[in-house]
Amino acid sequence: MIRFPPEVVMNKTDEAVRRARERSGEHLALLKEIVTIPSVSTDPERKADVARAAVWMNDKLVEFGANETKIIATPGHPVVWAEFRASEPDAETILLYGHYDVQPVDPVELWDTDPFTPTERDGRLYARGASDMKAQVMACLLAVRTLVESNALGMTVRFLLEGEEEIGSPNLAGAIEANADLFRAAVCLNLDSGMVGPGIPSIRYALRGLAYFDLTIRGPSRDLHSGGFGGVVHNPAQALAELIAGMHNADGSVALPGFYDRVREIDAEEHARAAAVPVSAEDLLAQSGVPALWGEKAFTPVERIGARPTLEINGIWGGYTGAGAKTVIPAEAHAKISTRLVPDQRHSDVHAQLAAYLTENAPPTVTWELRQLAGGEAFICDPNSSYHKRFAAALTSVWNREPVFSRNGGSVPVAADLEQILGMPSVLSGFALPDDRVHSPNESQDIATWYQGIEAVIRFLAAESA
Amino acid sequence: MIRFPPEVVMNKTDEAVRRARERSGEHLALLKEIVTIPSVSTDPERKADVARAAVWMNDKLVEFGANETKIIATPGHPVVWAEFRASEPDAETILLYGHYDVQPVDPVELWDTDPFTPTERDGRLYARGASDMKAQVMACLLAVRTLVESNALGMTVRFLLEGEEEIGSPNLAGAIEANADLFRAAVCLNLDSGMVGPGIPSIRYALRGLAYFDLTIRGPSRDLHSGGFGGVVHNPAQALAELIAGMHNADGSVALPGFYDRVREIDAEEHARAAAVPVSAEDLLAQSGVPALWGEKAFTPVERIGARPTLEINGIWGGYTGAGAKTVIPAEAHAKISTRLVPDQRHSDVHAQLAAYLTENAPPTVTWELRQLAGGEAFICDPNSSYHKRFAAALTSVWNREPVFSRNGGSVPVAADLEQILGMPSVLSGFALPDDRVHSPNESQDIATWYQGIEAVIRFLAAESA
């Protein structure tokens, strides 16, 4: 009996990987094309661009061989849906999640190159959304396309591509509820969680939730001359600062009443898993550039990011902010305040807790107004499911190293939505790196890591027999 | 001997007043002309407009019969000087002070009409600078012009018109020192202090000093994703808020170390004078629109504004301030912070005190930078001088009521500069009203009050025998 050497009996999966490698230039060109669309979901003036990104995604899904696609309107930005049927009947169905919207670019003057003109430099592709998460979405599309062409798609693949992730997915739960049959699947693969470090494939089994607020403090009926009224009027910017200062305790914990009431404790297994994550205080200092770390002393930095809730001032403004001196007492001062939540907190509770804090602590010399702009629950799942193992195997075969399992400090509302509405678990991973500067100026995607990511998705979705 | 009735033996002063009344329309047209020039001294893009305002002033001084004028360049905006010699030799010399620069207009969207298109409404002239202090400057120019035409100018009048008052007069002391002989006079009449209420002529005998700062708090090297770093990075906006909150004590006093060390106590005479000022807490509530007053409980509102130092947040900004939600930890946060100072504080001491506060209280998790943008000392003088009495008599003859003597909470650096450099006292008064909204949107000047003001200046400057 003649035995061919292994490189010659290349199976269909390996063949698909080879095909993907051959086409890496074309793949990168497609990624460059989609990042040119400034799909900033929070900016009303970009509404048409967000819609254009949805149409682009739909066009590519059709072109790549989807059996069916739909653009589902919502009260906000649309959801793109598609289905690619598996080569074999009775195959499982998997949902591939992605978002095609991006964060705003400001402060735009800090970008070295235009945020929507993709630029290659030192093996990275610089553009807003390159890493978060257009490269991740494209890894899914390109893996499926390659498998379809190789006749090796091992699962029926459904896509859920949304355009509101960066504003907290306010309309996604409604769209899932209204189209439950379209989105049903055994599991969701969600590549919106990155790697803990270069060359360290990573799977996340938890995400923090989010509650985002806009707080306005009002004092005088107009900006006042600080000479004429300084001493008898409580400056709203000062009152805002005083209220913000009171939102944390001296030990770094959040001071809102009841904030920790429902927080799930970190058990021994979780402590051990966090301790195994290869991210040190030094890594975080280097990644952030701060002179010293901060936060709850009773927890490690990895635990503080993944398993503890936080409260952040995302923006603050009031009074004169131009060049030089202007001696006013501002009529108003504003802050954007968000909390990152962990199981089993509820974002609606946090709204009530923040309002209660303000009721208790705001002085009678000012008035306040609190609006919730976004909310999503935290997510946690069993990292030992068969899908987690299968994705871990795919990552291991590409990186030649077992993935790290960790919690993710970020928020991806869809994971909680899918679990609550459809009972669907999620495998969270991705190919973004900690220094990709997501949400910041000069966002970029490491291109070699992205090519590896496409291969990992191919191996995960390939037919077992392929 | 035939005696004519009083109205027929009108003296030269009354004749000048009559002439001014006849010309009120022309006077208002001139005021409208000067307020169209957007002489915003703090804005580098308005530099040419500020220069244009200086030239306009110089042209009018020449046209109104000045014996000599000069435009004196400084490292910043120019000083306009002029001299009108008295009708009689051996007359005293008086310096008339004014500033031709104005505050910025923002927030411009809160103006009902364009800030540089003068608009008459309900007896008021709306425009930036109308009240502060172009109407006051024009009252001086028009009074002098009228007296010159009536051959009744009782003093040699020198003008000092500067273009940097709204940025703290950084170059004025240098210009006075370099041209001491031009500016020397028995007293300075300075109309940059307004009236305590409608129909209440007012003389101020004290001004607060000013020290203005720009504070930057820096944390991470760039804006960070609040999910990826929230919990281990001290948010610079939060750190700024914490530092600002600590700048006041719970009793409303300023917490900078040593801030009150040199503050001159309010003696019994001063307490009595403050108690006589007809401004109540209700007046201040109505003028400011705040829900409740604030400040040092141990002092009356009038004392807090006039005789006590304050610290104000004039502006604050950092992070995302656009529409919607953006989940960043900002790299930097900023505040514009000013203090109003009383005798015998020194603005350079306050710079050191604020730096010492930051050194002591800024956490190691952030860095800070403090710049002083402006500084001027407080001013106080004897309200019983002969010049105060003479101006009080002029006010009394116009309003038929004796003026109130009070301290002014605002800052006019020139008064301290003239006293320190030339030993020159100042009579501080003016025809602005508390609801003129100086430094705010919809600034205006009450036109009837302004006409009365022109008459008061005429009576003050008229020859005793006229």
Side-chain angles (χ1 to χ4, degrees):
Chain A
M1 182 174 127
I2 299 166
R3 292 202 51 189
F4 294 100
E7 58 273 28
V8 177
V9 293
M10 191 176 253
N11 64 20
K12 282 196 200 170
T13 307
D14 292 332
E15 170 61 24
V17 168
R18 192 193 54 75
R19 188 190 291 259
R21 285 185 188 179
E22 275 178 7
R23 277 186 169 174
S24 57
E26 185 197 330
H27 288 177
L28 186 60
L30 282 162
L31 177 56
K32 286 180 180 175
E33 193 178 320
I34 182 60
V35 294
T36 61
I37 302 179
S39 48
V40 181
S41 49
T42 201
D43 184 350
E45 294 190 7
R46 294 297 197 191
K47 197 171 165 63
D49 292 308
V50 180
R52 195 150 57 86
V55 168
W56 190 95
M57 287 290 169
N58 184 71
D59 289 352
K60 290 298 155 206
L61 290 161
V62 170
E63 187 183 324
F64 294 169
N67 299 91
E68 204 177 335
T69 73
K70 277 185 206 285
I71 296 181
I72 300 166
T74 79
H77 302 299
V79 170
V80 179
W81 175 89
E83 184 172 275
F84 294 78
R85 283 179 213 121
S87 321
E88 304 294 320
D90 305 327
E92 284 180 309
T93 298
I94 188 165
L95 185 67
L96 299 189
Y97 166 83
H99 65 83
Y100 59 83
D101 63 323
V102 299
Q103 282 275 317
V105 298
D106 52 312
V108 70
E109 66 277 10
L110 296 186
W111 284 79
D112 294 332
T113 51
D114 181 77
F116 298 111
T117 304
T119 309
E120 266 185 83
R121 204 159 65 240
D122 302 328
R124 291 188 157 270
L125 184 72
Y126 286 84
R128 169 57 86 227
S131 172
D132 180 15
M133 70 176 282
K134 287 175 174 173
Q136 324 303 323
V137 172
M138 291 309 294
C140 292
L141 264 72
L142 295 169
V144 169
R145 170 205 204 181
T146 307
L147 286 166
V148 167
E149 288 179 356
S150 303
N151 195 30
L153 188 61
M155 302 179 181
T156 287
V157 170
R158 291 173 163 183
F159 276 90
L160 187 182
L161 305 180
E162 68 157 318
E164 298 191 324
E165 198 276 338
E166 299 294 3
I167 54 171
S169 302
N171 297 297
L172 184 61
I176 294 172
E177 275 165 10
N179 300 277
D181 287 343
L182 294 181
F183 295 118
R184 223 176 287 281
V187 68
C188 174
L189 176 66
N190 182 328
L191 297 183
D192 201 14
S193 294
M195 296 164 72
V196 301
I200 308 172
S202 312
I203 292 178
R204 314 294 184 136
Y205 62 94
L207 293 163
R208 289 196 286 192
L210 180 75
Y212 199 109
F213 305 95
D214 191 302
L215 174 63
T216 298
I217 301 294
R218 293 194 174 91
S221 54
R222 64 186 186 281
D223 288 2
L224 297 176
H225 188 299
S226 67
F229 292 91
V232 298
V233 161
H234 198 176
N235 186 307
Q238 177 191 330
L240 176 65
E242 289 163 350
L243 286 166
I244 287 172
M247 290 179 190
H248 282 88
N249 299 309
D251 65 358
S253 63
V254 175
L256 305 187
F259 189 69
Y260 292 97
D261 283 358
R262 292 175 56 95
V263 167
R264 196 184 295 183
E265 295 296 329
I266 304 176
D267 64 19
E269 192 184 344
E270 287 279 301
H271 276 303
R273 215 177 262 131
V277 174
V279 172
S280 66
E282 287 66 37
D283 293 336
L284 292 169
L285 282 171
Q287 288 166 18
S288 64
V290 293
L293 294 185
W294 174 90
E296 290 182 287
K297 295 276 181 300
F299 300 90
T300 67
V302 165
E303 289 171 345
R304 265 138 61 191
I305 292 173
R308 296 293 294 174
T310 61
L311 181 149
E312 295 293 346
I313 308 307
N314 305 108
I316 189 167
W317 71 103
Y320 184 67
T321 60
K326 189 183 181 199
T327 49
V328 289
I329 298 174
E332 298 185 354
H334 307 262
K336 294 194 188 267
I337 300 173
S338 67
T339 54
R340 299 279 176 178
L341 308 175
V342 298
D344 301 305
Q345 290 180 294
R346 294 179 297 218
H347 68 76
S348 56
D349 288 350
V350 176
H351 191 172
Q353 288 157 4
L354 187 50
Y357 169 83
L358 292 168
T359 302
E360 240 169 76
N361 293 282
T365 49
V366 295
T367 62
W368 56 271
E369 187 185 336
L370 180 70
R371 287 190 308 138
Q372 183 166 357
L373 301 189
E377 308 298 3
F379 170 80
I380 191 161
C381 69
D382 174 15
N384 298 312
S385 83
S386 62
Y387 301 104
H388 285 85
K389 288 184 172 144
R390 179 169 171 162
F391 198 73
L395 292 173
T396 304
S397 80
V398 171
W399 270 276
N400 235 336
R401 126 169 222 177
E402 300 233 329
V404 168
F405 283 83
S406 75
R407 290 180 173 224
N408 188 352
S411 308
V412 189
V414 67
D417 287 346
L418 289 172
E419 185 183 53
Q420 281 160 26
I421 300 165
L422 299 177
M424 189 188 305
S426 286
V427 172
L428 304 167
S429 187
F431 314 111
L433 293 175
D435 57 356
D436 283 1
R437 299 182 176 241
V438 302
H439 293 209
S440 301
N442 299 314
E443 176 178 349
S444 69
Q445 169 69 39
D446 184 77
I447 297 168
T449 302
W450 181 58
Y451 288 148
Q452 289 177 293
I454 296 170
E455 294 182 20
V457 179
I458 288 173
R459 293 195 180 277
F460 177 66
L461 295 176
E464 300 285 342
S465 59
Chain B
M1 185 173 126
I2 299 162
R3 292 202 54 188
F4 293 101
E7 56 274 30
V8 176
V9 291
M10 191 176 252
N11 63 22
K12 282 193 197 170
T13 308
D14 292 334
E15 170 62 26
V17 167
R18 190 193 54 73
R19 188 190 291 259
R21 286 185 187 177
E22 273 178 11
R23 278 184 166 175
S24 58
E26 185 198 330
H27 288 177
L28 187 60
L30 282 163
L31 176 56
K32 287 181 179 172
E33 193 177 319
I34 183 59
V35 295
T36 61
I37 302 180
S39 47
V40 181
S41 49
T42 202
D43 184 350
E45 296 190 7
R46 293 298 197 188
K47 195 169 167 64
D49 292 309
V50 180
R52 195 150 56 90
V55 168
W56 190 96
M57 287 291 170
N58 185 70
D59 288 353
K60 289 300 156 204
L61 289 162
V62 170
E63 188 183 323
F64 294 170
N67 298 90
E68 204 178 336
T69 74
K70 277 184 206 286
I71 297 183
I72 301 167
T74 79
H77 302 300
V79 170
V80 179
W81 176 88
E83 183 172 276
F84 294 78
R85 284 180 212 121
S87 320
E88 304 294 321
D90 306 327
E92 283 179 311
T93 298
I94 188 165
L95 185 67
L96 299 190
Y97 166 84
H99 65 83
Y100 58 84
D101 64 323
V102 300
Q103 282 275 317
V105 298
D106 51 315
V108 69
E109 67 275 11
L110 296 186
W111 285 79
D112 294 331
T113 51
D114 180 77
F116 298 111
T117 304
T119 310
E120 265 185 84
R121 205 158 63 240
D122 300 329
R124 289 187 158 271
L125 184 72
Y126 286 83
R128 169 59 86 227
S131 172
D132 181 14
M133 67 174 289
K134 287 175 175 173
Q136 322 306 323
V137 171
M138 292 308 294
C140 291
L141 263 73
L142 296 168
V144 170
R145 170 207 206 179
T146 309
L147 286 166
V148 166
E149 289 178 356
S150 303
N151 194 30
L153 188 60
M155 301 179 182
T156 287
V157 170
R158 291 172 162 184
F159 276 91
L160 189 181
L161 304 180
E162 67 157 320
E164 298 193 322
E165 198 276 338
E166 299 295 4
I167 53 173
S169 304
N171 297 297
L172 185 61
I176 294 173
E177 275 165 8
N179 301 277
D181 287 342
L182 294 182
F183 294 119
R184 222 176 287 284
V187 68
C188 175
L189 176 66
N190 182 327
L191 298 183
D192 202 14
S193 294
M195 297 163 73
V196 301
I200 308 174
S202 310
I203 292 178
R204 313 296 182 134
Y205 62 95
L207 292 162
R208 288 196 287 192
L210 180 75
Y212 199 108
F213 306 95
D214 192 301
L215 173 63
T216 298
I217 301 294
R218 294 194 174 91
S221 54
R222 62 186 188 280
D223 287 4
L224 297 175
H225 189 299
S226 69
F229 292 91
V232 297
V233 162
H234 198 176
N235 186 308
Q238 178 191 329
L240 176 64
E242 289 164 350
L243 286 166
I244 288 172
M247 290 179 191
H248 282 89
N249 298 309
D251 65 359
S253 61
V254 175
L256 305 188
F259 189 70
Y260 292 97
D261 283 357
R262 295 175 54 96
V263 167
R264 196 184 296 182
E265 296 295 329
I266 305 176
D267 64 20
E269 191 185 344
E270 287 279 297
H271 277 302
R273 215 177 261 133
V277 174
V279 172
S280 66
E282 289 64 40
D283 292 335
L284 292 168
L285 282 170
Q287 287 166 18
S288 64
V290 294
L293 295 186
W294 175 91
E296 291 181 287
K297 295 276 181 299
F299 299 90
T300 68
V302 166
E303 289 171 346
R304 265 137 63 191
I305 293 174
R308 295 294 295 173
T310 62
L311 182 149
E312 295 293 345
I313 308 304
N314 304 108
I316 189 167
W317 70 104
Y320 185 67
T321 59
K326 187 184 184 200
T327 50
V328 289
I329 299 175
E332 299 184 353
H334 307 261
K336 291 190 191 271
I337 300 173
S338 66
T339 54
R340 298 280 176 178
L341 307 176
V342 298
D344 298 305
Q345 291 180 293
R346 293 179 296 216
H347 68 77
S348 55
D349 288 349
V350 175
H351 191 173
Q353 290 157 4
L354 187 50
Y357 169 84
L358 292 167
T359 301
E360 239 170 78
N361 293 283
T365 50
V366 295
T367 61
W368 56 271
E369 187 186 335
L370 181 69
R371 288 190 307 138
Q372 182 166 356
L373 301 188
E377 308 299 3
F379 170 81
I380 191 162
C381 69
D382 172 16
N384 297 312
S385 82
S386 63
Y387 301 104
H388 285 85
K389 286 184 174 145
R390 180 168 169 163
F391 198 74
L395 293 172
T396 304
S397 82
V398 173
W399 271 277
N400 234 337
R401 127 170 220 174
E402 300 232 330
V404 167
F405 282 83
S406 76
R407 288 180 175 226
N408 188 353
S411 308
V412 189
V414 66
D417 287 345
L418 289 172
E419 185 184 51
Q420 280 159 27
I421 300 167
L422 300 177
M424 192 190 301
S426 286
V427 172
L428 303 167
S429 185
F431 314 112
L433 293 175
D435 57 354
D436 282 1
R437 299 182 176 241
V438 301
H439 293 209
S440 300
N442 298 315
E443 176 179 349
S444 69
Q445 168 70 39
D446 184 76
I447 296 169
T449 302
W450 181 59
Y451 289 148
Q452 289 178 294
I454 295 170
E455 294 183 19
V457 179
I458 289 173
R459 291 193 182 279
F460 177 65
L461 294 176
E464 300 284 342
S465 59

